[in-house]
Amino acid sequence: MRALTIDESGLKLRRDYPKPDRADGESLVRVTMAGICGTDLELARGYMGYRGVPGHEFVGIVEQSGSPGLVGQRVVGEINAACGRCDFCRTDFGRHCPNRTVLGILGRDGAFADYLALPDRNLLFVPDSVPDEVAAFTEPVAAAYEIFEQVNFAASDKILVLGDGRLGAVVALVLYAAGLNPVVAGHHRIKLDRLSALGLKVELEEKLKPAFDCVVDCTGGPQGFLRSVELVRPRGKLILKSTAAGNHALNLAPVVINELTVVGSRCGRFEPALKALADGTVDPRPLVSGRYPFDDALAAFASARDSSNFKCLLQIA
Amino acid sequence: MRALTIDESGLKLRRDYPKPDRADGESLVRVTMAGICGTDLELARGYMGYRGVPGHEFVGIVEQSGSPGLVGQRVVGEINAACGRCDFCRTDFGRHCPNRTVLGILGRDGAFADYLALPDRNLLFVPDSVPDEVAAFTEPVAAAYEIFEQVNFAASDKILVLGDGRLGAVVALVLYAAGLNPVVAGHHRIKLDRLSALGLKVELEEKLKPAFDCVVDCTGGPQGFLRSVELVRPRGKLILKSTAAGNHALNLAPVVINELTVVGSRCGRFEPALKALADGTVDPRPLVSGRYPFDDALAAFASARDSSNFKCLLQIA
């Protein structure tokens, strides 16, 4: 099958990559569409030493499964394949299972390929009314909904989404859909204008002034943490939504002096995200900056690296 | 008056230091006893560029005040002198007033002197039954009680207090007094044995194994944060109780990946602390490692720097 792979020499589009083995309890999914995320760009740069097929935002059709009801169904899939037996799994937190593999990120080939394998229990049916380019956003929208599992907001909270990239845009849309009124800030006038046209309040990053009740750091870089600490009020909340790989020179003293609460936030449950996409509460289509045939995957990655773009999608089947 | 001062050349005991001016709404307090804290040792090393008199843990007698009821009373005092007019002050969070001075830490001479000045509203009467060496612990005990204002614990929570210094010991005693069962860990067998004799569970730091529901970092150093991140479970809480001045090479990726909640925690309200000291819920006297006449203040600082000691007290009057 075709697969985009990462090895020592970087990204490569291969045509002879073996189809994934489907273990007991797993389904083989023919990927129809997949989205490129900042994590994929990081993995391609060597983050976590990942080797194999990246990609974890997808929609596809089940071709083989031990569960006959799944075959032929259009599905999206939660990306953490958990053991099902540990304390985390028993309390419905398989996303933190220490024995987990993660689709396209950790120990399991991902979605930038003709086929992927995931446990049956990870798969959710996609209603016919939801087009592929919307369903492909389920994973990042779920990651945004994760914030509501971790933090309570007041309607009057002054919320800043720091970072005008694909993640910041999705987070801002989800907060806005929940009746909150976040400011999105970044360095790219062109993207801020697009977000403004969606009803969001926007601001150039260098014009921001303290103090926000909550800052959601979606910058993907260590400077985002430092800037967030400057912009949040004492006793405020700082939600770290993106990871910055490696060590960086950071000063935690302001976290203590201002008694900040810093909340790390990663993957979320798919169910509320898919519901919001299906009923139109969240419509991510204005964030699509390009659709690329899979054979042009390397060009799609180049486009995803262009900071004037939001989401680039791969049309795989 | 006598005062211990910090200037470019470090700590100095002076005999000719001017008495503090008492502003409107403030009292002049004759300090009887004061405790040396890790922050004082940091300030003496140059932290925050502090110049003046350090010291913020004290008990004393009011000598002059615009409030006649205060004169002659034995008092302790909250260390943040707030403006009383800003949003933080209006919501009872003067500890975060942006216009505040802080006794012996920021813009206000402190307690290692014959006299100090504080706003009348900062002062709390000390019951006669509470000896000076207990009352002098009100500030650090209040800082420990602050944790309960910020974090909810379950009785079954596995809690680690990382750091067997004076702050870790006080935090552990306060958690224990609240019916929790923390493990205190550090590098000093002699101090761990003393804490064990008080009923606390103790462990050598290098023998610790994950995973704790909550880690309270009382180490005062950047390695404490890194070690805490290793020891807390996914979705667990990390309470930063001590500051490490300056920038350090830190990796926040595990905070995001494991969805940790990091809570900065600083000063607390004196009222619950003084109550716990007065009714014997918390008895800090086993933590006194030495009492020094004020004229031996430099020797007391040397002793406080000795990591085999807990709290060193200065007998000032």
Side-chain angles (χ1 to χ4, degrees):
Chain A
M1 67 171 188
R2 297 174 302 167
L4 194 69
T5 62
I6 295 171
D7 63 17
E8 302 67 31
S9 60
L11 273 180
K12 217 169 286 174
L13 183 60
R14 292 175 55 178
R15 306 192 159 274
D16 56 348
Y17 200 76
K19 268 194 195 180
D21 288 329
R22 179 176 69 82
D24 272 359
E26 292 190 350
S27 293
L28 186 74
V29 179
R30 179 165 180 80
V31 182
T32 53
M33 186 169 275
I36 301 174
C37 155
T39 301
D40 302 317
L41 304 180
E42 288 290 308
L43 293 175
R45 269 196 283 262
Y47 176 50
M48 292 172 66
Y50 184 73
R51 298 286 174 264
V53 179
H56 56 276
E57 303 177 2
F58 77 96
V59 54
I61 311 280
V62 178
E63 276 209 0
Q64 297 173 24
S65 176
S67 307
L70 283 172
V71 176
Q73 297 293 333
R74 199 161 64 107
V75 296
V76 291
E78 305 223 11
I79 71 177
N80 295 282
C83 74
R85 291 177 302 276
C86 70
D87 287 348
F88 288 102
C89 289
R90 272 196 293 263
T91 52
D92 202 19
F93 274 110
R95 287 168 285 163
H96 291 290
C97 167
N99 312 308
R100 73 187 183 276
T101 60
V102 187
L103 185 73
I105 295 176
L106 182 71
R108 177 180 290 264
D109 277 343
F112 298 153
D114 285 317
Y115 292 91
L116 62 80
L118 269 179
D120 299 345
R121 64 169 173 272
N122 284 44
L123 303 178
L124 288 86
F125 299 126
V126 178
D128 291 343
S129 61
V130 181
D132 271 5
E133 71 261 32
V134 171
F137 277 88
T138 310
E139 199 279 335
V141 169
Y145 270 94
E146 175 75 349
I147 294 172
F148 298 116
E149 280 210 16
Q150 300 179 280
V151 173
N152 294 316
F153 294 101
S156 62
D157 276 352
K158 283 183 65 184
I159 302 173
L160 170 66
V161 176
L162 192 64
D164 56 10
R166 52 187 83 75
L167 179 62
V170 169
V171 167
L173 280 184
V174 166
L175 293 174
Y176 185 68
L180 300 165
N181 197 11
V183 176
V184 196
H187 296 293
H188 306 89
R189 190 74 258 177
I190 186 170
K191 285 192 289 187
L192 293 176
D193 287 345
R194 284 174 64 186
L195 295 173
S196 177
L198 301 177
L200 292 165
K201 284 198 289 192
V202 301
E203 185 60 277
L204 281 169
E205 198 270 351
E206 56 268 31
K207 292 198 174 165
L208 290 170
K209 290 194 174 64
F212 291 89
D213 297 307
C214 177
V215 178
V216 189
D217 175 19
C218 298
T219 61
Q223 81 291 346
F225 175 78
L226 297 169
R227 188 73 172 122
S228 298
V229 165
E230 284 174 6
L231 291 166
V232 71
R233 68 166 170 82
R235 284 245 171 176
K237 291 176 193 130
L238 202 171
I239 300 171
L240 300 183
K241 202 62 227 180
S242 54
T243 49
N247 287 333
H248 302 279
L250 300 177
N251 183 355
L252 295 179
V255 174
V256 179
I257 292 169
N258 291 328
E259 296 195 314
L260 305 182
T261 295
V262 180
V263 180
S265 182
R266 190 174 46 107
C267 304
R269 298 180 205 279
F270 271 32
E271 189 269 330
L274 189 54
K275 187 167 170 299
L277 292 169
D279 67 16
T281 303
V282 175
D283 184 353
R285 281 173 293 192
L287 303 182
V288 176
S289 289
R291 287 170 69 146
Y292 294 79
F294 191 41
D295 289 340
D296 295 341
L298 294 175
F301 259 70
S303 181
R305 280 200 190 91
D306 177 345
S307 64
S308 62
N309 287 329
F310 289 120
K311 181 65 70 183
C312 294
L313 297 175
L314 294 169
Q315 183 82 53
I316 299 183
Chain B
M1 67 172 188
R2 297 175 302 168
L4 195 69
T5 63
I6 295 172
D7 64 18
E8 302 69 30
S9 59
L11 273 181
K12 217 169 285 175
L13 184 60
R14 291 176 54 179
R15 307 196 156 271
D16 56 348
Y17 200 77
K19 268 193 195 181
D21 286 330
R22 178 176 71 81
D24 272 0
E26 293 190 351
S27 294
L28 186 73
V29 177
R30 179 165 180 79
V31 182
T32 52
M33 187 170 273
I36 301 173
C37 155
T39 302
D40 302 318
L41 303 180
E42 288 290 308
L43 294 175
R45 269 195 284 263
Y47 176 52
M48 292 172 67
Y50 184 74
R51 298 285 175 264
V53 179
H56 55 276
E57 303 176 1
F58 77 94
V59 54
I61 311 280
V62 178
E63 277 210 0
Q64 296 173 24
S65 175
S67 306
L70 283 172
V71 177
Q73 297 293 333
R74 198 160 65 109
V75 295
V76 290
E78 305 224 10
I79 71 175
N80 295 281
C83 74
R85 291 177 302 275
C86 70
D87 286 348
F88 287 103
C89 288
R90 274 196 293 264
T91 53
D92 202 18
F93 274 110
R95 285 167 286 164
H96 290 290
C97 167
N99 311 307
R100 73 187 182 277
T101 60
V102 186
L103 185 73
I105 295 175
L106 182 71
R108 177 179 291 264
D109 277 341
F112 298 152
D114 285 317
Y115 292 92
L116 62 81
L118 268 180
D120 299 345
R121 63 170 173 272
N122 283 43
L123 303 179
L124 289 87
F125 298 125
V126 178
D128 291 342
S129 61
V130 180
D132 271 5
E133 71 260 32
V134 171
F137 276 89
T138 310
E139 200 279 335
V141 169
Y145 270 94
E146 175 74 349
I147 294 172
F148 298 117
E149 279 210 15
Q150 300 179 280
V151 174
N152 294 317
F153 294 100
S156 61
D157 277 351
K158 281 184 66 183
I159 303 172
L160 170 66
V161 176
L162 193 63
D164 56 10
R166 51 187 87 73
L167 179 60
V170 168
V171 166
L173 279 184
V174 165
L175 294 174
Y176 185 67
L180 299 165
N181 198 10
V183 176
V184 195
H187 296 292
H188 306 90
R189 191 73 259 178
I190 186 171
K191 284 193 287 187
L192 294 175
D193 286 345
R194 283 172 65 184
L195 296 173
S196 176
L198 301 177
L200 292 164
K201 282 198 289 192
V202 301
E203 185 59 277
L204 281 169
E205 197 270 351
E206 57 268 30
K207 293 200 176 166
L208 290 170
K209 289 193 177 63
F212 290 89
D213 297 306
C214 177
V215 178
V216 189
D217 175 18
C218 298
T219 60
Q223 80 291 346
F225 175 77
L226 298 169
R227 188 73 173 124
S228 298
V229 165
E230 285 174 4
L231 290 167
V232 72
R233 67 165 170 82
R235 285 246 169 173
K237 293 179 192 125
L238 202 170
I239 301 171
L240 299 183
K241 204 60 228 180
S242 54
T243 50
N247 287 333
H248 302 279
L250 300 177
N251 183 356
L252 295 180
V255 174
V256 178
I257 293 169
N258 292 328
E259 296 196 310
L260 305 182
T261 296
V262 181
V263 179
S265 181
R266 190 174 46 107
C267 304
R269 297 180 206 278
F270 271 33
E271 188 269 330
L274 190 54
K275 187 169 168 298
L277 291 169
D279 67 16
T281 302
V282 175
D283 184 353
R285 282 173 291 191
L287 303 181
V288 175
S289 288
R291 288 170 68 149
Y292 294 79
F294 191 41
D295 289 339
D296 294 341
L298 294 176
F301 260 69
S303 180
R305 281 198 189 92
D306 176 345
S307 64
S308 61
N309 286 329
F310 289 119
K311 181 65 72 183
C312 295
L313 297 174
L314 293 168
Q315 183 83 51
I316 299 184

